[in-house]
């Protein structure tokens, strides 16, 4: 019994971490209808960037390149354009972009302390998110969802290549200062081993999820976002700036990826295999539905727990390692019974 | 006027229904086959045959398989490499366990085994679509590789599932030189491509495309959804399975399940996106591109960087490769969703008028 | 001026059909029949449940209650494939052609139920499969000639203007040589000339091939001209059923539909 509880709790806690990655998918899917396969690559990129910055600071050539691009963008933001009546010089945007460009030059080659590295990574991830929205998704708007999906597979390759081009491919450890030991009082009181790291990770994930839920429900942008999710055309008609919303969502997805990357990276080491962890979010989404934050959480818990239990109780019978596919099979079987997901509504194609 | 159709009147439906109704196409195909069967073996050296032409043909076949499923029947699959693995391991086991089994038959049986597994993992497609289905095919990918690694029977109890394909012997004749292997693979691939072309231009192909374009309307005209989708999975997986068997027997010889990983599935998907979704020709063009490009990059990236005074760190070319592939995929999807095959068609239309555009 | 047509026994009987989507009642307790060789119109305001009715007849939607009987076969849940196999073909309100295919291929799909060869024979493309394909092609060319769309045969359907697309959809339905044809607003969005053409085609189909037709149409002039009998739906309920003249004189219909819309 104790053992069962231990496995169950461990599974649930790692399930929370799956939920965290799944959340990134849900955010983007809700706002733009894109199933972003590259969420895993974002997680990898975020974790690797933080570690890399802590180890040896920003790499010269790429930072230089980014700075040049940012300066160019800043320039175009204020350059008066011919013909464009409404386009006034946007000094604020130029200042932000220029500021980031100049600041980035100062961190080249200097190992950064943890929190500074995290902050820099956050700015970088937001940039990546916004750039993705601009360069990848905007030209593909109005294409069938499956085309967008394949484009994000392309994006996955690009980001994985970029991450390793910037930081190399070695496995690295990441210490975020949370010990990975059994929690003493649970040990003494109930004789159950639960890692403090898992608990803290789950806590952080829970806070993030709560924050996002608040953001969606209470802020003006969040409400606009939900309107967009419900009906793009209508949202445009009432004057919600779709493009700005999309950029915000991609930035938020970048942020979620950063948190997930730090937690997973600290847990399993920062390495290419992180992208596979992120793939686990897919069955989570199938269970929970692509559009529901609650679904992502519940789905994550179910997948996490059932996967661990299966590994422990069924695994030995078939030679172990079933974690690699068990989640998918659970999701598949589930789909056969309820194709609309746990929280989705059944709908019949209109003709 | 190089590519003029005018003056070629088709006077019967039989003529119009030929596989290549335009005369220039027939000439081009014949010339191409002559080159492939006669000129190439005369001039190609061992490196070209072994490292480029044979894999090119095998991957073309796999891409063709995926294109049948994704391009024609509209069911996105991320498990292509898994189905190849089934083909390879099944063929190996038929060879190993049944002494009398002719090699060609064991390849066909390998394909059929893959087709069965394909049908199994295609079942969810009856209820789900789009990326839901893509996730289901990911299950196939991971499950197959896991099963082949975990159950030692599949690899005859070798360590970590590695198998070594035997020699290729047909009617007492041993195909062991690269030229012989090349010709054998070429023959198989040409025949299977021909069969694929025939399928997609007859009722079978029309049913696939109808399901792809509008499933409700397809059902209403009487197309059986289950039969059509599962047939697409079966035929597609058969092609991938045979490609997998050839991969093991005619290309690298020693394979392990991990060799058929998700990355390979993605690469084959990229072949059809770049080559042309829903095009037989596109499968070949895409395979050529994805095979040749890394070779090109490996050969020229370092010297080029040197010329600019930069030293590329080790592993950089493979990262560049990932980035360029990724960027190209996005580019093609946004700019030319029908890939290289469509570009070729546009070129043909231009040639039709050249040199006198009206 | 109702068409003078020799109609026979009822071939299609819809009985007590009710269908709802969540809270929306699309059809409640609808019953009517369609006689052999008849042109039967279904009219009603927007959202009345007309399209849903056709969808129930050929099995795209499954009603919660009721049965559909076609030529003696009575079903509660029709499956679209069985409906097609029994000779029911249709067109859709919002064109449902196969976008990625040419006009010719689209129409050829209409004949898929007449195909006897297996995919293996088709892959080898000799003998039977080839002969069959040519035979299908010949039949399809007859339909193409009938509907006068020879000039666009090889064009991808997506590139055709709207009116022609509607005609190709009709061609696809006709290629199946149906005994019952369901047409969902075949003339919506057409100009006068295109409408006249379409009316002529519908009448010709009915006369030359003896096809029974169920037709949804908003243009009352067309309905009066073409149909033998009319079913009127409103908010999913049957409002009236009778000849065009009877329906036109019906007070409930005038209030609910004619009075409002025209
Ligand atoms: N697949 C579906 N899912 C949910 N509701 C549906 C569906 N199909 C139809 N409805 C609803 O059923 C009702 C009847 O719709 P239907 O399309 O049958 O009307 P109609 O008479 O054809 O109208 P129109 O003249 O606009 O074509 C409407 O309220 C519609 O919103
Ligand atoms: Mg309607």
């Amino acid at each position: 019994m104790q053992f069962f509880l231990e496995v169950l709790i461990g599974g649930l806690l790692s399930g929370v971490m799956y939920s965290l990655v799944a959340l990134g998918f849900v955010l983007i899917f809700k706002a733009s209808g894109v199933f972003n396969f590259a969420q895993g690559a974002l997680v990898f990129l975020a974790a690797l960037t933080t570690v890399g910055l802590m180890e040896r600071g920003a790499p010269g050539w790429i930072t230089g390149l980014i700075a040049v691009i940012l300066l160019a963008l800043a320039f175009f933001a204020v350059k008066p354009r011919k013909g464009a009546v409404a386009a006034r010089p946007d000094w604020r945007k130029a200042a932000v972009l220029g500021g980031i460009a100049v600041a980035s030059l100062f961190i080249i080659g200097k190992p950064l302390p943890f929190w500074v590295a995290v902050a820099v990574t956050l700015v970088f991830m937001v940039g990546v998110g916004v750039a993705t929205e601009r360069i990848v998704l905007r030209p593909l708007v109005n294409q069938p969802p499956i085309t967008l999906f394949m484009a994000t597979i392309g994006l996955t390759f690009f980001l994985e290549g970029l991450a390793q081009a910037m930081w190399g491919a070695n496995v690295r450890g990441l210490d975020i200062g949370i010990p990975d030991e059994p929690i003493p009082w649970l040990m003494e009181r109930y004789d159950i081993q639960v890692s403090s790291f898992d608990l803290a990770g789950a806590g952080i994930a829970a806070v993030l999820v709560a924050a996002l839920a608040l953001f969606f429900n209470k802020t003006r942008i969040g409400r606009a976002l939900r309107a967009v999710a419900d009906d793009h055309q209508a949202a445009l008609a009432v004057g919600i700036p779709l493009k700005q919303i999309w950029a915000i969502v991609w930035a938020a997805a970048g942020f979620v990826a950063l948190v997930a990357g730090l937690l997973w990276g600290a847990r399993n080491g920062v390495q290419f295999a992180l992208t596979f962890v992120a793939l686990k979010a897919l069955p989570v989404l199938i269970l929970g539905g692509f559009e529901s934050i609650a679904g992502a959480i519940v789905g994550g818990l179910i997948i996490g727990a059932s996967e661990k239990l299966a590994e422990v109780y069924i695994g030995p019978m078939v030679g172990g390692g079933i974690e690699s596919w068990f989640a998918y099979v659970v999701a598949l079987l589930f789909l056969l019974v309820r194709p609309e997901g746990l929280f989705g509504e059944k709908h019949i194609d209109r003709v | 006027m190089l590519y003029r159709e005018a003056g070629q009147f088709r006077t019967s439906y039989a003529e119009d229904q030929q596989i290549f109704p335009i005369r220039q196409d027939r000439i081009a195909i014949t010339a191409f086959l002559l080159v492939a069967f006669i000129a190439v073996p005369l001039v190609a050296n061992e490196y070209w045959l072994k490292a480029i032409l044979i894999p090119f043909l095998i991957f073309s076949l796999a891409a063709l398989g995926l294109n049948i499923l994704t391009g024609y029947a509209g069911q996105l699959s991320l498990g292509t490499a898994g189905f190849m693995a089934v083909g390879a391991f099944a063929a190996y086991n038929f060879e190993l366990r049944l002494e009398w089994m002719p090699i060609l038959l064991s390849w066909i049986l390998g394909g059929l085994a893959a087709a069965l597994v394909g049908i199994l993992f295609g079942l969810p497609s009856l209820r789900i679509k789009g990326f839901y289905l893509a996730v289901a095919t990911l299950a196939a990918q991971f499950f197959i590789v896991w099963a082949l690694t975990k159950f030692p029977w599949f690899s005859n109890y070798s360590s970590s599932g590695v198998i070594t394909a035997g020699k290729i012997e047909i009617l007492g004749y041993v195909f062991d030189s690269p030229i012989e292997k090349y010709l054998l693979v070429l023959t198989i691939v040409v025949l299977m491509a021909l069969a694929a072309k025939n399928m997609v231009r007859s009722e079978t192909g029309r049913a696939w495309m109808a399901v792809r374009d509008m499933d409700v309307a397809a059902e209403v005209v009487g197309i059986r959804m289950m039969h059509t989708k599962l047939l697409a999975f079966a035929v597609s997986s058969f092609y991938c399975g045979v490609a997998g068997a050839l991969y093991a027997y005619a290309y690298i010889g020693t394979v392990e399940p991990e060799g058929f990983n998700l990355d390979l599935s993605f690469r084959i998907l990229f072949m059809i996106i770049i080559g042309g979704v829903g095009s037989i020709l596109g499968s070949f063009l895409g395979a050529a591109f994805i095979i040749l490009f890394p070779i090109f990059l490996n050969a020229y990236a370092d010297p080029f960087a040197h010329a600019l005074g930069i030293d590329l760190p080790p592993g950089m070319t493979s990262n560049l490769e990932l980035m360029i592939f990724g960027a190209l995929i996005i580019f093609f999807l946004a700019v030319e969703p029908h890939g290289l095959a469509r570009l070729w068609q546009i070129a043909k239309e231009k040639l039709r008028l050249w040199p006198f555009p009206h | 001026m109702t068409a003078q047509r020799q109609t026979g026994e009822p071939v299609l009987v819809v009985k007590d059909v009710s269908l709802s989507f969540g809270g929306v009642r699309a059809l409640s307790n609808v019953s009517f029949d369609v006689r052999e060789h008849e042109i039967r119109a279904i009219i009603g305001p927007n959202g009345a449940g007309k399209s849903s009715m056709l969808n129930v007849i050929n099995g795209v939607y499954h009603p919660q209650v009721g049965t559909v009987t076609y030529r003696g076969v009575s079903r509660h849940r029709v499956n679209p494939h069985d409906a097609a196999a029994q000779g029911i073909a249709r067109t859709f309100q919002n064109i449902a052609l196969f976008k990625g295919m040419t006009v010719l291929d689209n129409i050829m799909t209409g004949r898929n139920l007449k195909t006897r060869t297996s995919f293996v024979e088709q892959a080898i493309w000799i003998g039977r499969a080839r002969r069959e394909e040519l035979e299908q092609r010949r039949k399809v060319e007859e339909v193409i000639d009938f509907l006068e769309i020879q000039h666009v045969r090889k064009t991808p359907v997506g590139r055709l203007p709207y009116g022609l697309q509607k005609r190709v959809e009709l061609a696809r339905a006709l290629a199946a040589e149906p005994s019952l044809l369901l047409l969902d607003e075949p003339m919506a969005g057409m100009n006068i000339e295109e409408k006249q053409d379409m009316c002529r085609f519908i009448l010709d189909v009915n006369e030359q091939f003896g096809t029974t037709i169920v037709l949804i149409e908003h243009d009352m002039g067309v309905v009066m001209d073409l149909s033998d009998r009319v079913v009127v739906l409103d908010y999913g309920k049957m409002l009236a059923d009778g000849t065009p003249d009877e329906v036109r004189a019906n007070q409930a219909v005038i209030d609910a539909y004619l009075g409002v819309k025209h």
Side-chain angles (χ1 to χ4, degrees):
Chain A
M1 194 59 205
Q2 260 125 3
F3 182 61
F4 174 81
L5 272 182
E6 219 170 274
V7 176
L8 182 68
I9 293 173
L12 287 175
L13 292 180
S14 65
V16 178
M17 307 255 272
Y18 289 148
S19 304
L20 192 57
V21 183
L23 207 60
F25 285 91
V26 172
L27 271 180
I28 290 177
F29 190 81
K30 265 177 95 92
S32 52
V34 178
F35 185 91
N36 177 30
F37 195 82
Q39 190 66 29
L42 287 177
V43 171
F44 177 54
L45 179 62
L48 205 53
T49 303
T50 310
V51 185
L53 286 171
M54 286 166 69
E55 240 170 46
R56 50 191 161 97
W61 60 279
I62 256 192
T63 313
L65 200 65
I66 291 174
V68 170
I69 293 172
L70 288 178
L71 286 175
L73 288 175
F75 174 71
F76 282 115
V78 291
K79 179 174 171 276
R81 255 166 293 173
K82 261 181 273 161
V85 191
R88 269 181 287 120
D90 186 345
W91 290 103
R92 212 174 60 171
K93 182 173 166 192
V96 171
L97 292 176
I100 296 175
V102 174
S104 70
L105 298 177
F106 284 98
I107 56 170
I108 292 179
K110 290 200 194 78
L112 303 176
F114 175 71
W115 284 109
V116 182
V118 169
V120 172
T121 309
L122 179 60
V123 175
F124 177 66
M125 292 310 293
V126 168
V128 169
V130 174
T132 303
E133 194 277 319
R134 275 286 167 111
I135 301 168
V136 181
L137 296 170
R138 237 181 254 185
L140 284 167
V141 97
N142 293 334
Q143 297 278 354
I146 206 75
T147 304
L148 285 160
F149 175 64
M150 292 197 281
T152 63
I153 296 181
L155 180 64
T156 307
F157 267 59
F158 182 84
L159 292 178
E160 287 170 3
L162 177 71
Q164 299 186 77
M166 280 166 66
W167 308 108
N170 327 353
V171 180
R172 295 183 180 81
L174 169 63
D175 185 7
I176 56 174
I178 307 172
D180 187 6
E181 293 152 0
I183 298 169
W185 66 267
L186 270 175
M187 273 284 273
E188 287 157 20
R189 198 81 72 75
Y190 303 103
D191 197 21
I192 297 175
Q193 295 197 18
V194 173
S195 151
S196 56
F197 181 89
D198 284 354
L199 196 64
I204 293 173
V207 169
L208 189 65
V209 170
L212 281 169
L214 273 181
F215 172 74
F216 262 104
N217 290 318
K218 297 285 177 226
T219 65
R220 204 171 54 87
I221 293 175
R223 279 196 297 268
L225 231 159
R226 287 208 319 210
V228 172
D230 289 341
D231 186 341
H232 288 188
Q233 294 305 323
L236 268 182
V238 297
I240 291 171
L242 257 190
K243 293 179 173 167
Q244 209 174 318
I245 295 284
W246 285 343
I248 291 173
V249 167
W250 276 88
F255 172 62
V256 174
L258 171 62
V259 177
L262 292 178
L263 289 176
W264 278 108
R267 184 108 196 67
N268 300 348
V270 177
Q271 53 181 319
F272 194 74
L274 272 186
T275 59
F276 290 99
V277 171
L279 282 183
K280 282 282 172 59
L282 298 179
V284 170
L285 289 166
I286 287 194
L287 274 180
F290 290 121
E291 310 206 19
S292 153
I293 290 187
I297 298 166
V298 177
L301 294 177
I302 294 177
I303 292 285
S306 60
E307 182 181 83
K308 282 279 176 334
L309 290 172
E311 182 68 58
V312 171
Y313 290 101
I314 307 176
M317 287 182 249
V318 290
I322 63 177
E323 264 182 301
S324 72
W325 55 268
F326 188 79
Y328 292 92
V329 174
V330 169
L332 255 185
L333 293 177
F334 183 82
L335 269 183
L336 291 180
V337 185
R338 215 184 132 82
E340 60 273 16
L342 272 177
F343 294 89
E345 269 173 35
K346 191 167 177 151
H347 101 148
I348 301 165
D349 285 343
R350 247 169 229 260
V351 287
Chain B
M1 306 282 232
L2 212 67
Y3 216 91
R4 233 170 96 107
E5 247 190 289
Q8 297 180 40
F9 295 109
R10 275 152 268 162
T11 49
S12 69
Y13 300 137
E15 270 175 49
D16 196 38
Q17 302 269 52
Q18 286 178 77
I19 188 162
F20 300 110
I22 302 173
R23 193 200 311 135
Q24 283 86 345
D25 276 340
R26 289 196 293 275
I27 296 172
I29 286 283
T30 317
F32 210 81
L33 288 178
L34 286 177
V35 169
F37 275 101
I38 297 166
V40 167
L42 288 178
V43 298
N45 60 22
E46 193 165 318
Y47 169 77
W48 266 84
L49 288 168
K50 269 173 128 166
I52 297 174
L53 289 167
I54 293 179
F56 157 68
L57 288 168
I58 293 172
F59 283 119
S60 298
L61 190 60
L64 192 54
L66 179 62
N67 223 334
I68 286 174
L69 184 63
T70 303
Y72 286 95
Q75 314 294 307
L76 180 59
S77 163
L78 303 178
T80 316
F83 299 126
M84 288 176 74
V86 174
F89 278 77
Y92 169 78
N93 277 291
F94 282 119
E95 271 300 283
L96 178 79
R97 289 167 209 285
L98 302 172
E99 299 273 301
W100 49 269
M101 177 77 68
I103 188 91
L104 282 179
L105 184 59
S106 72
W107 292 348
I108 292 174
L109 289 173
L112 289 176
L116 273 182
V117 177
I119 290 176
L120 187 69
F121 282 98
L123 283 173
S125 74
L126 304 179
R127 299 211 55 176
I128 54 177
K129 297 187 210 171
F131 26 67
Y132 280 92
L133 182 66
V135 175
T137 58
L138 268 183
Q141 172 68 50
F142 290 127
F143 180 80
I144 291 168
V145 170
W146 172 84
L148 292 175
T149 316
K150 275 287 140 58
F151 296 103
W153 184 86
F154 288 122
S155 49
N156 201 24
Y157 303 93
S158 77
S159 62
S160 75
V162 180
I163 58 170
T164 302
K167 62 180 190 307
I168 306 173
E169 188 185 328
I170 298 173
L171 300 173
Y173 185 85
V174 180
F175 291 73
D176 52 4
S177 75
I179 288 191
E180 289 162 337
K181 285 184 182 167
Y182 163 79
L183 284 173
L184 181 65
V185 173
L186 179 66
T187 311
I188 293 173
V189 171
V190 166
L191 289 177
M192 287 179 73
L194 196 66
K197 178 85 188 162
N198 282 337
M199 270 186 279
V200 299
R201 71 196 176 111
S202 51
E203 191 48 48
T204 306
R206 285 193 295 269
W208 285 338
M209 290 186 275
V211 167
R212 171 195 71 190
D213 286 349
M214 183 129 228
D215 50 359
V216 181
E219 267 192 295
V220 165
V221 298
I223 290 166
R224 282 171 299 163
M225 201 54 62
M226 179 160 107
H227 175 265
T228 306
K229 281 186 177 172
L230 292 186
L231 182 63
F233 268 97
V235 173
S236 161
S237 308
F238 178 81
Y239 275 70
C240 293
V242 173
L246 291 176
Y247 182 86
Y249 278 83
Y251 177 36
I252 47 178
T254 304
V255 291
E256 54 172 344
E258 234 341 280
F260 297 99
N261 57 14
L262 185 60
D263 191 58
L264 183 60
S265 290
F266 279 149
R267 268 167 210 262
I268 296 168
L269 178 65
F270 288 1
M271 287 177 194
I272 72 169
I273 295 176
I274 291 179
V277 174
S279 157
I280 305 271
L281 173 68
S283 315
F284 287 88
L285 296 178
F289 185 86
I290 299 277
I291 301 248
L292 288 176
F293 186 74
I295 295 174
F296 171 84
L297 202 62
N298 270 322
Y300 295 107
D302 273 324
F304 182 73
H306 261 298
L308 293 179
I310 310 169
D311 253 335
L312 291 182
M316 190 49 98
T317 47
S318 71
N319 292 329
L320 274 179
E321 187 190 314
L322 286 179
M323 290 173 70
I324 294 174
F325 276 171
L328 275 174
I329 291 303
I330 295 166
F331 173 83
F332 269 99
L333 287 172
V335 179
E336 188 45 81
H338 295 286
L340 293 170
R342 176 82 191 122
L343 293 180
W344 164 241
Q345 202 158 17
I346 293 172
K348 251 169 44 174
E349 264 156 34
K350 290 256 157 65
L351 279 179
R352 202 171 268 189
L353 304 177
W354 187 84
F356 306 115
H358 304 290
Chain C
M1 43 163 240
T2 311
Q4 293 306 306
R5 210 170 284 121
Q6 200 65 45
T7 58
E9 293 293 300
V11 284
L12 175 74
V13 180
V14 174
K15 195 151 184 292
D16 296 333
V17 164
S18 296
L19 168 76
S20 50
F21 299 101
V24 182
R25 279 213 131 208
L27 295 169
S28 27
N29 256 325
V30 177
S31 305
F32 64 94
D33 64 18
V34 180
R35 297 192 188 127
E36 179 91 85
H37 198 45
E38 187 176 33
I39 298 184
R40 184 71 142 126
I42 302 179
I43 63 170
N46 291 100
K50 305 179 297 294
S51 300
S52 302
M53 192 61 242
L54 290 199
N55 284 330
V56 167
I57 294 175
N58 77 335
V60 179
Y61 292 167
H62 295 137
Q64 280 80 16
V65 188
T67 55
V68 175
T69 309
Y70 185 61
R71 293 187 189 275
V73 185
S74 186
R75 296 193 188 86
H76 168 54
R77 284 174 76 97
V78 185
N79 149 335
H81 174 261
D82 294 343
Q86 260 199 305
I88 304 179
R90 75 172 279 187
T91 65
F92 297 85
Q93 179 170 358
N94 302 311
I95 296 172
L97 286 168
F98 307 124
K99 286 197 301 298
M101 299 159 71
T102 61
V103 168
L104 183 63
D105 279 343
N106 263 280
I107 306 176
M108 292 284 269
T109 59
R111 293 199 61 79
N112 80 91
L113 283 170
K114 311 275 189 231
T115 309
R116 294 285 160 266
T117 50
S118 69
F119 76 97
V120 178
E121 288 172 280
Q122 290 171 14
I124 302 168
W125 191 264
I126 41 168
R128 209 153 78 101
R130 183 165 171 276
R131 275 200 307 280
E132 189 181 63
E133 181 84 3
L134 286 178
E135 177 58 24
Q136 309 281 37
R137 173 75 188 269
R138 210 177 48 71
K139 282 273 169 45
V140 162
E141 288 292 339
E142 284 174 18
V143 177
I144 290 180
D145 288 345
F146 179 80
L147 292 178
E148 297 158 18
I149 44 177
Q150 299 89 339
H151 58 296
V152 291
R153 237 190 235 115
K154 296 285 173 74
T155 315
V157 281
R159 284 198 216 151
L160 294 182
Y162 181 81
L164 269 181
Q165 291 199 16
K166 282 250 161 193
R167 219 188 276 185
V168 173
E169 221 192 351
L170 178 61
R172 182 178 68 191
L174 288 181
E177 302 175 58
S179 55
L180 174 65
L181 188 57
L182 312 175
L183 303 174
D184 196 345
E185 307 200 12
M187 284 161 250
M190 287 187 168
N191 60 34
I192 299 284
E193 205 177 314
E194 288 172 323
K195 274 192 186 179
Q196 281 171 350
D197 280 343
M198 189 53 92
C199 278
R200 181 164 55 85
F201 290 134
I202 293 173
L203 282 173
D204 283 352
V205 169
N206 180 260
E207 266 155 38
Q208 292 184 19
F209 311 134
T211 313
T212 310
I213 293 172
V214 178
L215 167 82
I216 296 175
E217 186 49 55
H218 276 299
D219 185 327
M220 287 313 293
V222 169
V223 172
M224 296 297 153
D225 277 356
L226 289 184
S227 56
D228 298 295
R229 290 188 300 156
V230 184
V231 175
V232 188
L233 294 179
D234 187 24
Y235 288 108
K237 293 197 183 65
M238 292 267 295
L239 217 54
D241 182 3
T243 65
D245 293 325
E246 285 165 12
V247 164
R248 194 157 37 176
N250 184 313
Q251 192 56 45
V253 176
I254 295 170
D255 289 349
Y257 180 70
L258 301 174
V260 179
K261 273 213 77 168
H262 288 265

